[in-house]
Amino acid sequence: MTEAFLTLALLWLLAAMTPGPNFFAVMHVAAGQGRRAAVACALGTVVATGVWALAGFFGLKALFVALPATAAVIKLAGAAYLIWVAVNLWRSARAVDATSAPARTGRAFLFGLATNLANPKTAAFAASLFAVALPADTSIELSLAAVIMICAISTSWYAIVSLVGSTRPFASAYVRSRALILRLTAVIFAGYGGKLAADALLED
């Protein structure tokens, strides 16, 4: 069982470290609003990770297989949110004032939470990892421990992202290149949203 947990931990760490919407959301908040807001955004991301991991554990992937239309609707809703974020980021790049807004931890938390909840692939991925890494006869207690473990891994990784992204060099670079960074982040979010929408339509 120890080997299974180590395998699961390694696979999840690699997945968490792969740049995606969550990474860019935390980095964007860290550079633009500071460490406190970035930590709040990271916590929102981790809470959503826990939700998706539990959903994957309790069979959301099976639901998607049984009712493909449900998966398509959820994916399209997530795609719409990511594209909406992209549009707002692009518009905010036009603002004359390039200074960062005061940190609002509540909004940062919700931003991280919504960004991760917008990607239902996390649930399917978590379910796949559980199926591959954990034996079929794994108890509920150990399975829940696995969920806690992957949330802890995500917390550690995004804490590092928050700390690095909010350092003075990164913050200074953000102020100097705010418009470019916002537009680049907008393109990335739009790209993920478009891919999610395309996947939903192709699977329909």
Side-chain angles (χ1 to χ4, degrees):
M1 184 57 67
T2 300
E3 183 179 351
F5 267 64
L6 289 176
T7 299
L8 179 63
L10 177 60
L11 291 174
W12 190 265
L13 177 61
L14 292 174
M17 293 177 67
T18 301
N22 298 334
F23 173 83
F24 288 106
V26 175
M27 185 62 76
H28 166 68
V29 172
Q33 298 185 10
R35 185 169 300 170
R36 184 177 178 183
V39 170
C41 181
L43 288 176
T45 298
V46 172
V47 169
T49 294
V51 171
W52 281 132
L54 287 172
F57 172 69
F58 286 112
L60 185 59
K61 184 180 180 182
L63 175 63
F64 287 174
V65 172
L67 298 172
T70 303
V73 170
I74 294 176
K75 287 181 179 180
L76 287 173
Y81 172 76
L82 293 176
I83 293 173
W84 177 79
V85 170
V87 171
N88 280 277
L89 287 172
W90 190 275
R91 287 177 176 174
S92 65
R94 301 175 183 174
V96 175
D97 184 8
T99 58
S100 58
R104 298 180 181 178
T105 54
R107 290 184 62 181
F109 175 86
L110 291 176
F111 179 51
L113 179 70
T115 297
N116 200 358
L117 287 179
N119 188 5
K121 283 188 172 182
T122 304
F125 180 70
S128 298
L129 280 187
F130 289 149
V132 171
L134 298 181
D137 59 349
T138 302
S139 66
I140 293 180
E141 291 78 10
L142 287 177
S143 296
L144 292 177
V147 172
I148 294 173
M149 179 184 68
I150 64 176
C151 286
I153 291 171
S154 294
T155 300
S156 300
W157 168 243
Y158 288 116
I160 293 173
V161 174
S162 300
L163 293 175
V164 173
S166 59
T167 56
R168 183 167 295 179
F170 272 84
S172 298
Y174 179 87
V175 171
R176 291 194 304 270
S177 308
R178 176 179 176 276
L180 176 62
I181 293 172
L182 285 176
R183 288 189 176 118
L184 178 61
T185 306
V187 170
I188 291 169
F189 268 74
Y192 278 106
K195 185 178 185 304
L196 193 60
D199 289 345
L201 293 174
L202 290 174
E203 292 174 3
D204 189 13

